[in-house]
Amino acid sequence: IVVCRLGYCNALYFGINEKLINQLQLIQNAAAKAVVGLYKHDHLGETLKELHWLPIKFRIQFKLLLLVYKCLNGLGPSYLMSMFRYADYSHSIYLYEPRVISHYGERSFEKSG
């Protein structure tokens, strides 16, 4: 249940500060130890790789890039696909970067994608 909650909407975590990412990573580490039966002070080592779990920081990037890929290939939700403006030149896609005014605009899906 904890792992599902960590994965829920984790593309929204893009741009959060390192302190929050570290706290989420601690939760993921504790969940991994519980799954494989390690004790609190045991070394985690290769456990995340054995479980095929990405660390939180990379998981956030992966989910965001997966959404962008789906949107650019017509597989994503229409409300997200409409946010991207791009030019398609002979097997190359060039995305237009939108202008943002605030710090929160930097974290928007349209800008971060």
Side-chain angles (χ1 to χ4, degrees):
I1 294 176
V2 173
V3 177
C4 293
R5 290 293 168 194
L6 283 175
Y8 178 72
C9 290
N10 62 5
L12 296 176
Y13 297 149
F14 182 79
I16 63 174
N17 62 25
E18 288 294 319
K19 182 179 179 184
L20 291 175
I21 288 179
N22 289 336
Q23 288 175 349
L24 290 171
Q25 187 63 55
L26 289 174
I27 294 169
Q28 185 185 36
N29 292 349
K33 287 179 181 181
V35 167
V36 297
L38 294 176
Y39 292 105
K40 181 179 178 180
H41 297 289
D42 288 344
H43 184 65
L44 196 58
E46 299 290 317
T47 306
L48 290 178
K49 288 182 182 178
E50 291 171 7
L51 292 171
H52 301 286
W53 291 1
L54 287 173
I56 292 294
K57 187 174 186 176
F58 298 116
R59 187 179 178 102
I60 293 167
Q61 291 174 353
F62 173 76
K63 290 292 188 170
L64 182 66
L65 292 173
L66 181 64
L67 275 174
V68 171
Y69 174 81
K70 286 183 175 183
C71 289
L72 292 177
N73 289 292
L75 303 171
S78 59
Y79 68 93
L80 290 179
M81 290 191 307
S82 65
M83 292 183 180
F84 289 104
R85 292 184 21 237
Y86 60 91
D88 191 358
Y89 299 112
S90 67
H91 306 295
S92 296
I93 295 177
Y94 298 96
L95 292 174
Y96 297 112
E97 188 174 352
R99 293 180 187 229
V100 293
I101 297 171
S102 70
H103 172 70
Y104 294 108
E106 290 288 331
R107 292 185 56 206
S108 69
F109 180 73
E110 187 176 8
K111 172 72 175 177
S112 61

